Amino acid sequence: MSAPAAARRRLPRRRVPAGPISLLAGAIVWELIGHLAGASFFPPLSTVIGRLAGMVTSGEIFASLADSLLNLVLGFAVSLAGGLLVGVAMGRFRKVEAALGVYVYALLTAPSLVFAPIFFSLLGEGRGSIVAVVVMYAMFVMIINTASAIQSVPGHLVEMARSYGASETQILLRVMLPAAAPMIMAGVRLGVGRAVTGMINGEMFIAVVGLGRIVTQAGGRFDGAGVLAILLVIIAVALGAVALVQAVDRKITGWVPQTSRGH
Amino acid sequence: MIEVRGLGKSYIGQDGGVVQALQDVDLTVADNEFLTVLGPSGCGKTTLLKAIAGLIPWNEGDIFIDGSPVRGPGPERSMVFQNFALLPWATVLENVAFGLQMRGVGKTERIERARALIETVGLGEFETKRPGELSGGMQQRVGIARALAVQPSVLLMDEPFGAVDEQTRRLLQEELLSIWEEHRLTVVFITHSMEEAVLLGDRVVLMSARPGRISEIVPVPLTRPRSSDVGALERSGKYVEITAYLWDRLRDMHEERRPAKAGR
């Protein structure tokens, strides 16, 4: 009898769900401050959720959400393809790195929204401009991570492959990319978060469409609850996208020992 | 047959000076010979092996395998690496089949051949494991199986047992001897252990450092097969004598390189 009792006493402590508890605490703090402050732009959580429920039942949010998600997916896909392509080229060839490195680092650190007016004038106020902004936000971190991932592939693995007569393509596909995958995926995780930021900024700044349009309109009406309701949706989109990337990551890099994982 | 003729390799060192890694190396390795190469660190023994493997360029001289000059890696040679050089994401089976895959052998055949080699090195139950789940000794067994899977006539081994513990090392030495006795391969085996050099080799090539060159080639007239009773062999007078001689020579080399002391 005493053994199971001891086990029961030990188990709950290990299974404390830190994530949900933290969220609950955050919600309570938000609710309290919202009530106490009484500021129109910081309503309590319950008001925000009520506003969100209203948007969902009226259906006004769905078209915008779909619009935004399409921008996100397009922009992220372009960023991923460009990030891998340019990153691998920079990682493999010193000349490419020397030629492109300065631009990549400049554009990584430059505030991406600065380019919005340029896209606006070049691509018009359609989807193209927003996708371009998403790419500006998301691609460069993926390029840099991919390039360093390829550069840090252990030389002895490449030498081993060469000793078996592997071609350059085989070395890239069978040795370098798999070896670089964990670090590349770390860049993709960063990139997807930045893509969501790019999406919302692009939508708010350039063409007023998607979730960004609702935020802009709500802001214009001094509708604090509306702004925060959309913020919740954006956070959900971001977390969903990151979770998706993490699932892919686990599939690709399951071989990395748990102890050397960064999370 | 491996022929190394007047091989020289130099490179610009970190201080800007020219480092002579290899100088005037002449060496002939007969078919099915087990040749061990022994020397202090920095004597260029790994450089010599990698040159024979076709993995690095050199400045002077030539290397021929069965009469044709070495221009790069070739299908008749395969290499076993000191740090195993296994793909950490691939299973034992995939690792052993890797060389065959690079050489365009079809999937069914390469799995069949890899499985046979995995049995040879005694890793039958570990086929689906990844290198991270194996001990160092088991990892090097995978490395040896991968090298043998491509059916080479020349096996190049770069201090293959340098990174495993002493007991595992002895087991691997015995296993390598019996594999060699069965497969009849030409082996060039780099080591820094005198005992290992004598136990395995038909001849021991003794190299000295700065510049890296062959100082002496010592024949090992111990009977074969040796895998059956390594213990008796190690107690034999000849074994002890050759090992002691090699140590004398190596110690001289270390003495020469030691800074001169006052009063000497």
Side-chain angles (χ1 to χ4, degrees):
Chain A
M1 287 308 277
S2 69
R8 226 176 296 133
R9 240 179 294 129
R10 249 194 338 265
L11 268 178
R13 203 185 295 169
R14 223 184 300 150
R15 283 190 186 161
V16 166
I21 287 181
S22 160
L23 279 181
L24 187 67
I28 292 169
V29 170
W30 181 347
E31 186 70 23
L32 285 178
I33 294 181
H35 279 293
L36 292 175
S40 65
F41 263 92
F42 197 68
L45 180 61
S46 51
T47 315
V48 173
I49 288 179
R51 185 80 184 77
L52 181 60
M55 288 179 183
V56 170
T57 39
S58 75
E60 66 166 309
I61 197 171
F62 292 115
S64 305
L65 182 60
D67 228 357
S68 291
L69 285 178
L70 185 59
N71 292 335
L72 179 66
V73 168
L74 285 177
F76 181 69
V78 172
S79 306
L80 183 65
L84 286 180
L85 226 64
V86 178
V88 166
M90 279 175 64
R92 273 222 79 181
F93 307 109
R94 274 186 185 284
K95 288 221 164 114
V96 178
E97 193 194 11
L100 297 185
V102 59
Y103 293 106
V104 171
Y105 277 100
L107 293 176
L108 175 76
T109 45
S112 313
L113 209 52
V114 166
F115 299 94
I118 302 173
F119 294 137
F120 189 70
S121 58
L122 286 178
L123 303 168
E125 58 179 295
R127 194 177 296 286
S129 293
I130 297 172
V131 169
V133 171
V134 173
V135 171
M136 285 306 287
Y137 269 86
M139 186 167 69
F140 299 104
V141 67
M142 292 200 261
I143 292 180
I144 285 167
N145 258 57
T146 305
S148 0
I150 291 288
Q151 280 163 355
S152 51
V153 170
H156 65 266
L157 290 185
V158 174
E159 188 172 60
M160 181 278 294
R162 216 154 252 152
S163 81
Y164 287 102
S167 66
E168 291 301 308
T169 318
Q170 283 176 319
I171 288 174
L172 180 66
L173 296 180
R174 303 282 171 203
V175 178
M176 289 189 146
L177 283 180
M183 205 168 160
I184 292 178
M185 287 309 293
V188 173
R189 274 207 305 272
L190 292 175
V192 80
R194 292 175 61 107
V196 174
T197 314
M199 168 198 85
I200 208 71
N201 282 348
E203 287 175 354
M204 286 172 67
F205 193 86
I206 303 182
V208 270
V209 295
L211 294 174
R213 177 183 58 93
I214 305 186
V215 172
T216 313
Q217 288 174 347
R221 289 196 308 268
F222 299 103
D223 174 9
V227 172
L228 291 176
I230 295 300
L231 181 68
L232 286 183
V233 174
I234 293 165
I235 290 172
V237 167
L239 292 181
V242 169
L244 209 66
V245 170
Q246 273 174 339
V248 174
D249 186 9
R250 266 195 295 277
K251 196 127 206 138
I252 296 178
T253 66
W255 54 274
V256 178
Q258 287 300 317
T259 45
S260 56
R261 273 180 182 274
H263 52 90
Chain B
M1 190 165 71
I2 306 170
E3 293 163 279
V4 180
R5 295 284 162 261
L7 194 71
K9 178 174 173 64
S10 53
Y11 58 91
I12 307 295
Q14 282 173 340
D15 56 355
V18 175
V19 179
Q20 194 74 34
L22 290 173
Q23 193 175 55
D24 294 327
V25 173
D26 279 291
L27 182 66
T28 303
V29 191
D31 284 343
N32 302 331
E33 179 175 7
F34 200 127
L35 187 85
T36 52
V37 181
L38 178 68
S41 55
C43 72
K45 48 193 194 295
T46 294
T47 308
L48 172 63
L49 193 79
K50 286 187 176 171
I52 297 173
L55 288 172
I56 55 165
W58 57 85
N59 312 100
E60 291 159 53
D62 295 290
I63 302 175
F64 300 94
I65 309 282
D66 296 327
S68 21
V70 168
R71 299 265 178 266
E76 75 290 341
R77 280 160 287 155
S78 65
M79 190 152 168
V80 177
F81 297 84
Q82 180 176 14
N83 52 16
F84 319 135
L86 301 179
L87 306 176
W89 57 87
T91 62
V92 166
L93 183 66
E94 288 161 346
N95 267 294
V96 173
F98 181 79
L100 296 167
Q101 187 185 11
M102 292 304 103
R103 289 175 187 183
V105 175
K107 192 167 185 183
T108 325
E109 193 191 339
R110 70 173 185 253
I111 287 177
E112 197 178 304
R113 276 161 70 177
R115 283 222 168 98
L117 263 308
I118 290 170
E119 285 300 325
T120 305
V121 297
L123 288 179
E125 317 152 49
F126 300 96
E127 190 179 288
T128 55
K129 296 267 188 256
R130 293 204 170 88
E133 302 170 86
L134 305 178
S135 69
M138 286 155 93
Q139 292 191 45
Q140 194 55 296
R141 285 189 176 91
V142 176
I144 292 171
R146 176 178 63 194
L148 291 175
V150 296
Q151 296 171 332
S153 58
V154 174
L155 189 60
L156 305 169
M157 307 185 83
D158 183 16
E159 299 198 32
F161 309 146
V164 298
D165 65 81
E166 180 60 26
Q167 292 163 29
T168 308
R169 170 190 265 252
R170 291 184 65 105
L171 290 172
L172 286 169
Q173 288 166 347
E174 287 179 24
E175 280 173 41
L176 177 64
L177 276 173
S178 54
I179 286 171
W180 176 76
E181 281 153 13
E182 197 174 320
H183 284 69
R184 304 312 290 177
L185 289 156
T186 309
V187 179
V188 180
F189 186 109
I190 307 293
T191 180
H192 57 253
S193 153
M194 298 147 302
E195 289 82 5
E196 187 167 71
V198 176
L199 176 67
L200 299 175
D202 291 316
R203 292 185 297 159
V204 180
V205 173
L206 193 60
M207 290 186 73
S208 60
R210 281 166 217 146
R213 61 166 99 204
I214 294 178
S215 139
E216 190 178 344
I217 298 182
V218 181
V220 182
L222 296 171
T223 51
R224 300 241 187 224
R226 298 180 192 168
S227 63
S228 47
D229 199 350
V230 167
L233 189 125
E234 284 175 337
R235 288 186 294 275
S236 72
K238 261 185 205 146
Y239 172 91
V240 174
E241 186 190 322
I242 301 168
T243 318
Y245 175 74
L246 289 173
W247 173 233
D248 277 347
R249 297 295 316 271
L250 281 169
R251 195 174 47 205
D252 289 347
M253 290 178 197
H254 284 283
E255 293 284 336
E256 280 165 26
R257 283 162 64 185
R258 195 184 288 173
K261 282 182 190 161
R264 271 204 168 184

